[in-house]
Amino acid sequence: MKAFIRDAVVAVTAVSAALALTACGPNTATGPGRDNADDAPTIAVLLPDAITARWETQDGPLLEEKIKKLCEECTVEHANAKGEVALQQQQMDSMISKGVDAILLVAVDGRSLAASVRKADEAGIPVIAYDRLAGGPIAGHVSFDGEQVGRLQGTSLLQGMASRAPDDQIVMMNGDPSDPNAALFKKGALSVLTGRVKIGKSYDTHQWRAEVAHMNMTGAIAALGAGNIDGVYAANDSLAAGSISALRANKVAPIPPVTGQDAELAAVRRIVAGRQYMTVYKPFAPEAASGAALAVAAARGENLGKVAEDTVTARDGTKIAAVMLTPLAVTADNIKDTLVKDGVYTVRQICAPGLWAACGKAGLT
């Protein structure tokens, strides 16, 4: 936990310090989408969907808060693509037409948005890829180490199964193949799980939808047998929810260990109740702070290399200024020392009616 906090604080402190140099004096830089230096910057925040709870409940509000803290005069334009590539492309076109100064983009489909990113770049509008890397000439990127997320999930799954025999069988419920992060999660998980367990079924899940995971898990149970699933690798909490609902509907008991990601409140409650084994906590505040810092710097025409200490490599080999943060595995044993301690949720929020006994066992009361 100390190493994680140090990494996050160092990254956020670096971007904040870099921005302070420009915030202390008058803003004389002419931003890419601005007609003159006196115009107040406008930053577009384009979110991908309302399926994954974090986008509208955590990232969206935090990004606006952090942007306003760094740039009181900035205007934030917010839009949600509702999981539709065509709608997000239209939103990109709209922001380009409005002449915004920077776009912070969580792409529904990174490859499909490449043309829109290129169009923004041609219009002199820098695009910051938030949480997942999109195609095209991206100016900056903030995210977590995707392969490490997968390794945490794989390692926790083996621990939850309490066995590392190669004949133990799991189902893999991977994320949306159009999301480049999904491939990183899967790669990291397989680096831990390959040779340690048998992968009975593996699915890619369109748009990270719980109902698709439910359908796939129902098929896996029919094919493998209800008693022959020793663990479930679910790439995020939505897929965990769909998988668990299918397991319960098919009378699978006890529920085998199931992984997750995003530390959604419903998932944390499932962990307390013993229906989900773990989730990956990717602290929203440091990511939003770094995303806001990159977006504000881009809108002001600053060199992002002075703001971000890291780089990532795009598919075409281009180096992109980046802030990469460290994820953390959360089980029932450390909810209090992570999510509660960081103020993500209170004990009262987690310990809903019916969970008080389980919360007591988890040290949450």
Side-chain angles (χ1 to χ4, degrees):
M1 182 62 180
K2 290 182 180 178
F4 157 76
I5 293 173
R6 183 181 64 249
D7 291 345
V9 169
V10 167
V12 176
T13 300
V15 293
S16 298
L19 279 170
L21 295 176
T22 60
C24 290
N27 178 21
T28 58
T30 301
R34 253 181 286 168
D35 294 328
N36 60 70
D38 295 326
D39 291 343
T42 298
I43 298 171
V45 175
L46 304 185
L47 302 179
D49 62 67
I51 298 168
T52 303
R54 61 171 289 191
W55 302 126
E56 291 293 351
T57 62
Q58 298 285 347
D59 296 84
L62 280 170
L63 281 165
E64 184 159 0
E65 174 191 328
K66 302 296 184 181
I67 289 171
K68 288 291 188 179
K69 186 173 182 179
L70 290 169
C71 178
E72 290 183 5
E73 73 276 17
C74 281
T75 298
V76 178
E77 295 269 358
H78 169 276
N80 191 307
K82 301 178 182 178
E84 299 178 15
V85 170
L87 178 56
Q88 193 164 61
Q89 290 169 332
Q90 291 171 12
Q91 291 167 348
M92 285 285 288
D93 288 341
S94 174
M95 297 305 168
I96 293 168
S97 297
K98 289 180 179 180
V100 300
D101 296 280
I103 298 172
L104 191 145
L105 172 69
V106 190
V108 174
D109 182 330
R111 292 188 179 185
S112 297
L113 267 294
S116 296
V117 172
R118 191 170 297 108
K119 189 183 298 185
D121 181 66
E122 291 169 353
I125 302 172
V127 178
I128 306 301
Y130 185 84
D131 199 71
R132 56 184 71 160
L133 191 58
I138 293 295
H141 179 47
V142 57
S143 190
F144 289 80
D145 183 336
E147 289 189 34
Q148 178 61 10
V149 170
R151 288 191 289 269
L152 289 174
Q153 292 170 322
T155 300
S156 294
L157 183 58
L158 291 177
Q159 292 171 345
M161 291 165 65
S163 172
R164 302 185 182 186
D167 57 347
D168 281 356
Q169 185 165 240
I170 69 167
V171 173
M172 291 194 74
M173 205 66 64
N174 306 300
D176 190 328
S178 69
D179 180 347
N181 279 351
L184 296 174
F185 304 150
K186 182 178 180 179
K187 181 179 179 181
L190 287 174
S191 73
V192 174
L193 297 171
T194 300
R196 311 288 284 276
V197 295
K198 178 182 177 182
I199 299 172
K201 288 288 182 180
S202 181
Y203 302 93
D204 292 333
T205 315
H206 180 61
Q207 291 190 346
W208 300 90
R209 290 185 176 275
E211 60 268 29
V212 177
H214 181 107
M215 178 183 68
N216 289 340
M217 182 56 69
T218 299
I221 293 168
L224 303 174
N228 296 319
I229 298 174
D230 301 298
V232 178
Y233 167 80
N236 79 348
D237 291 334
S238 178
L239 304 188
S243 300
I244 291 166
S245 68
L247 290 166
R248 298 183 74 190
N250 284 274
K251 311 298 183 186
V252 176
I255 299 291
V258 180
T259 67
Q261 179 183 180
D262 292 331
E264 294 182 359
L265 179 57
V268 177
R269 288 172 174 168
R270 287 194 297 270
I271 291 171
V272 171
R275 293 194 294 271
Q276 181 171 326
Y277 183 69
M278 65 84 69
T279 187
V280 175
Y281 171 37
K282 301 191 301 184
F284 309 112
E287 187 176 20
S290 297
L294 286 170
V296 169
R300 289 174 171 168
E302 299 295 323
N303 180 351
L304 298 188
K306 295 180 180 180
V307 177
E309 294 186 337
D310 304 315
T311 60
V312 293
T313 304
R315 290 190 182 94
D316 63 1
T318 303
K319 295 291 185 181
I320 300 170
V323 177
M324 302 303 291
L325 302 170
T326 305
L328 184 72
V330 173
T331 64
D333 294 333
N334 67 344
I335 291 173
K336 187 173 183 178
D337 292 332
T338 53
L339 299 171
V340 175
K341 184 177 180 180
D342 288 359
V344 180
Y345 306 118
T346 65
V347 169
R348 182 178 293 274
Q349 286 175 306
I350 295 169
C351 298
L355 285 180
W356 281 105
C359 278
K361 292 181 181 179
L364 290 173
T365 55

